[in-house]
Amino acid sequence: MAKGLILIVEDEALVNELMGDYLEAKGYDTISTDHGNEAMQMVGEHKPDIMFLDIQLNDGVDGMTVLKKAREISPESKIIMMSAYKDKYGPETEKLGAYAFLSKPIQVTSIGQILDDIEAKSG
């Protein structure tokens, strides 16, 4: 049985794929997109347990907009923001209810630590 559902919202296809492979190897089910509008629709349909959300996306809808909407649609989802611009976006994402912020380039160990933390707090 899967540990939960993770939505990956990332504009780089290779990063999306690699994260999906890693998370599935850790026992999670994953779905992904590179578009903000589609991400908001997927949050509504699937109510993911966890979401890894990039700030820059491919359809002009940024991750900050998705974060705000996702908090309304699925307040129980743990949202981890991802960007190379933590200084610029980090404080605002925290105010908007993000669970954590990963600076790009993302280290696999950082993903593992956040998942361990979430599991420990929910277990």
Side-chain angles (χ1 to χ4, degrees), residues 20-116:
D21 290 347
Y22 173 76
L23 294 166
E24 288 173 11
K26 298 273 290 176
Y28 292 90
D29 288 329
T30 65
I31 52 177
S32 65
T33 183
D34 60 355
H35 288 78
N37 278 317
E38 187 176 18
M40 290 184 284
Q41 181 180 356
M42 292 169 91
V43 169
E45 286 177 27
H46 301 285
K47 304 272 195 275
D49 300 292
I50 301 168
M51 178 167 40
F52 285 92
L53 176 58
D54 191 7
I55 291 182
Q56 187 172 347
L57 301 171
N58 287 334
D59 64 350
V61 176
D62 69 6
M64 300 301 285
T65 302
V66 175
L67 172 60
K68 291 174 195 168
K69 191 68 174 170
R71 299 301 322 135
E72 293 172 18
I73 298 170
S74 184
E76 65 282 349
S77 296
K78 305 280 189 281
I79 302 173
I80 295 93
M81 300 302 292
M82 305 182 296
S83 175
Y85 305 102
K86 184 174 184 174
D87 292 342
K88 181 176 180 180
Y89 295 108
E92 186 178 352
T93 64
E94 191 176 319
K95 285 182 205 162
L96 293 173
Y99 185 83
F101 196 109
L102 290 176
S103 293
K104 287 184 166 187
I106 295 168
Q107 304 297 315
V108 171
T109 53
S110 299
I111 295 171
Q113 288 169 343
I114 285 175
L115 295 174
D116 291 345

